Amino acid sequence: MMAYWNFPAVKGGNINSINNAGLETFRDNPIESLTREICQNSLDAKKNPNEPVVVEFNQFKTKQFPNQQELYEVFLKCRETWQGKNQKSEDFIEEALKTLSHSETQFLRISDFNTKGLAGAQSGDLGTPWSSLVKEAGSSNKEGDSGGSFGIGKSAPFLTSKIRTLFYSSYAEDGYKSHIGVSNIMSYRTGMDEITAGIGYYTNTYDSKAIEGLLNLDPALNRQETGTDIFVSAFDPGEEWEQEIVKSVLMNFFITVYQKKLIVRVNGLEINNENVGQLINNLDDSEDSRILKNYFYLLDSEDKVVINYPAKTYKNGISFEEGEAQLYLMDGDDLNRKVLMTRKNGMRIYEQDRISGSISFTGILVITGNNMNSIFKQMENPAHNGWSSNRYDKDPKLAKKIFTDLRRFIREEVKGTYQQNNTDQ
């Protein structure tokens, strides 16, 4: 069957406008969110644990937009449905129609390598990585030491598309190659009694399964190994998007890059273990950059103090072995008096402050143990920039004690390590 855009209709269900809860989570900083979510997802899908994951961001233009005219006509139906009813939706529709009227479209290709691809694309079964990414809302099949668990991070790339339309192409570990398009727009009327759910698929089946075979819109790509390619159509990020992605990688994944777990390429510029320090040193002289430089100096220093988190036992069979987290510390003049908090994948979560007002120090806390990583993963918010004990549904009070113990450990070790030196001075 020929490929087409399939926007399933619903009766008596929700009618969706352009506002979307999943997208709103990332609206404040779309490029920052895109970078964090993409790199995290690729790290979670690592194939060979002894080799780094490689993520590429490559911008290009092409006239090969799959069924472009058909999607244009969909937006015409959206205009008929929403005219005079929702100004924000109307503005979005007019911009989309203008974009789709051009013969050439700008894309961003996001590709990962040394990853497993999207298992389940052939069957489309519920709960598979393919279904979780493409079809399911608010669902994630990630367990263990993965970074994501909410299933909404996949929304981030849509915000960088002027028409909220992506194409996924995957070479899975089982050898199956597939592609599909997803257009995350709004409901529109298809007839007197039918209205769509608001999400459409570029597919060749009525139930919106993946199309067999890879989709390659970028001539610079020649995929010969497993992994996933995401094509963001009508990519519209602003003039300095490359610098924003590079800075986001440095800010959020400098530990992962330093540990040779991640390599990122942005339009040909490569960020790797050998140059990450120099790239950080080359950043501007903003407060955030100065703090990052302190963190990297600490990470790279042979003089840093490394302290293992002690073994802990709690109720309900929860226990941590010694060293499931490590605290790196360094003192010196004019440091930020904060500790960068991160879990096993090395992505920055947040900075713990209010540790000591008299000691000039900086620190990094890395949770590496499986047990401890699992607990704090369940405390993490959807934006992956904070922990809250109330998010641990099984026992919030227990989670609060675990979190309190960790913060107490940090304070006591900072003061125990540097208080005497500070008093002597």
Side-chain angles (χ1 to χ4, degrees):
M1 186 175 178
M2 295 290 291
Y4 68 106
W5 282 102
N6 179 31
F7 284 81
V10 294
K11 286 188 176 182
N14 286 342
I15 298 174
N16 297 304
S17 71
I18 197 60
N19 296 314
N20 179 298
L23 294 172
E24 292 300 321
T25 304
F26 307 107
R27 185 175 293 282
D28 288 344
N29 199 330
I31 293 295
E32 166 88 1
S33 300
L34 170 77
T35 307
R36 280 170 58 92
E37 296 298 329
I38 288 292
C39 290
Q40 176 182 258
N41 289 342
S42 296
L43 287 165
D44 289 344
K46 177 182 281 193
K47 184 177 180 181
N48 182 350
N50 299 316
E51 297 292 333
V53 166
V54 178
V55 178
E56 289 184 353
F57 297 85
N58 190 64
Q59 186 181 30
F60 67 98
K61 289 184 178 181
T62 182
K63 295 181 179 180
Q64 306 301 315
F65 190 112
N67 288 38
Q68 181 173 343
Q69 181 60 32
E70 186 182 1
L71 191 59
Y72 180 87
E73 292 169 2
V74 164
F75 276 99
L76 288 177
K77 294 175 182 176
C78 290
R79 183 164 66 180
E80 289 179 17
T81 302
W82 290 97
Q83 194 165 15
K85 297 179 177 66
N86 184 301
Q87 187 61 51
K88 191 172 182 180
S89 294
E90 288 185 72
D91 293 342
F92 173 79
I93 292 165
E94 292 306 317
E95 186 64 30
L97 287 169
K98 186 189 302 182
T99 300
L100 287 167
S101 66
H102 297 149
S103 61
E104 193 173 51
T105 305
Q106 184 162 266
F107 278 84
L108 176 68
R109 171 176 58 83
I110 306 168
S111 300
D112 59 28
F113 304 90
N114 187 29
T115 53
K116 299 175 183 178
L118 298 176
Q122 186 169 14
S123 66
D125 287 346
L126 191 69
T128 61
W130 181 87
S131 178
S132 178
L133 176 66
V134 175
K135 300 292 286 291
E136 299 171 30
S139 173
S140 173
N141 63 351
K142 297 178 181 181
E143 301 295 340
D145 58 7
S146 66
S149 59
F150 292 91
I152 65 171
K154 58 195 174 190
S155 299
F158 286 98
L159 279 176
T160 60
S161 167
K162 291 172 73 173
I163 56 175
R164 289 195 185 173
T165 300
L166 312 179
F167 295 91
Y168 300 98
S169 180
S170 173
Y171 183 169
E173 274 191 302
D174 62 6
Y176 191 70
K177 302 174 183 178
S178 67
H179 68 276
I180 192 169
V182 181
S183 190
N184 190 349
I185 50 174
M186 71 272 285
S187 300
Y188 66 89
R189 293 194 181 279
T190 59
M192 292 296 294
D193 300 321
E194 287 193 334
I195 193 164
T196 68
I199 297 181
Y201 302 93
Y202 179 70
T203 179
N204 60 359
T205 64
Y206 73 93
D207 53 354
S208 302
K209 286 188 176 180
I211 303 169
E212 186 172 1
L214 295 177
L215 175 67
N216 187 8
L217 302 174
D218 183 2
L221 175 67
N222 181 24
R223 180 169 290 283
Q224 299 293 325
E225 61 182 272
T226 60
T228 301
D229 306 304
I230 302 174
F231 297 94
V232 182
S233 68
F235 180 57
D236 183 38
E239 293 182 359
E240 299 183 350
W241 71 271
E242 294 161 296
Q243 296 93 316
E244 287 184 58
I245 287 181
V246 170
K247 187 170 183 179
S248 180
V249 171
L250 298 178
M251 286 286 183
N252 294 294
F253 294 97
F254 71 93
I255 297 174
T256 318
V257 174
Y258 179 81
Q259 294 174 338
K260 300 182 180 180
K261 296 178 181 178
L262 176 66
I263 294 172
V264 178
R265 299 178 184 135
V266 185
N267 272 2
L269 171 66
E270 181 169 295
I271 307 171
N272 57 43
N273 166 266
E274 295 181 357
N275 68 2
V276 63
Q278 187 59 51
L279 289 171
I280 289 174
N281 286 331
N282 292 342
L283 290 173
D284 56 26
D285 197 33
S286 66
E287 180 67 17
D288 287 343
S289 296
R290 287 196 296 271
I291 292 172
L292 175 60
K293 291 170 186 178
N294 287 335
Y295 285 140
F296 185 79
Y297 181 76
L298 164 63
L299 183 68
D300 193 45
S301 174
E302 295 181 356
D303 297 326
K304 63 178 172 287
V305 178
V306 182
I307 306 166
N308 285 336
Y309 192 65
K312 295 278 187 179
T313 301
Y314 298 93
K315 65 179 183 179
N316 300 333
I318 294 175
S319 64
F320 307 142
E321 298 178 5
E322 181 181 351
E324 288 213 25
Q326 287 189 318
L327 177 62
Y328 304 158
L329 293 175
M330 175 181 72
D331 66 344
D333 296 333
D334 299 322
L335 297 179
N336 65 337
R337 295 185 170 90
K338 295 180 181 180
V339 173
L340 178 68
M341 311 292 277
T342 182
R343 292 195 292 109
K344 199 168 185 178
N345 67 0
M347 184 175 76
R348 172 197 294 252
I349 304 298
Y350 76 103
E351 293 172 291
Q352 181 69 51
D353 56 6
R354 299 180 182 179
I355 296 169
S356 172
S358 59
I359 302 171
S360 180
F361 76 98
T362 193
I364 298 174
L365 189 285
V366 183
I367 297 175
T368 57
N370 290 335
N371 296 333
M372 196 168 181
N373 191 77
S374 176
I375 295 295
F376 279 87
K377 174 182 175 180
Q378 295 175 69
M379 286 194 246
E380 205 161 291
N381 64 23
H384 307 292
N385 59 9
W387 291 326
S388 170
S389 58
N390 289 330
R391 291 187 172 275
Y392 187 73
D393 294 333
K394 298 175 185 176
D395 192 336
K397 288 185 178 179
L398 175 59
K400 183 176 182 179
K401 175 169 176 51
I402 291 172
F403 196 7
T404 299
D405 286 349
L406 180 63
R407 290 193 295 255
R408 181 184 300 114
F409 163 77
I410 293 171
R411 286 195 302 272
E412 290 177 351
E413 292 301 332
V414 169
K415 293 177 180 178
T417 303
Y418 298 120
Q419 188 70 61
Q420 186 60 49
N421 290 340
N422 188 65
T423 302
D424 292 343
Q425 292 173 8

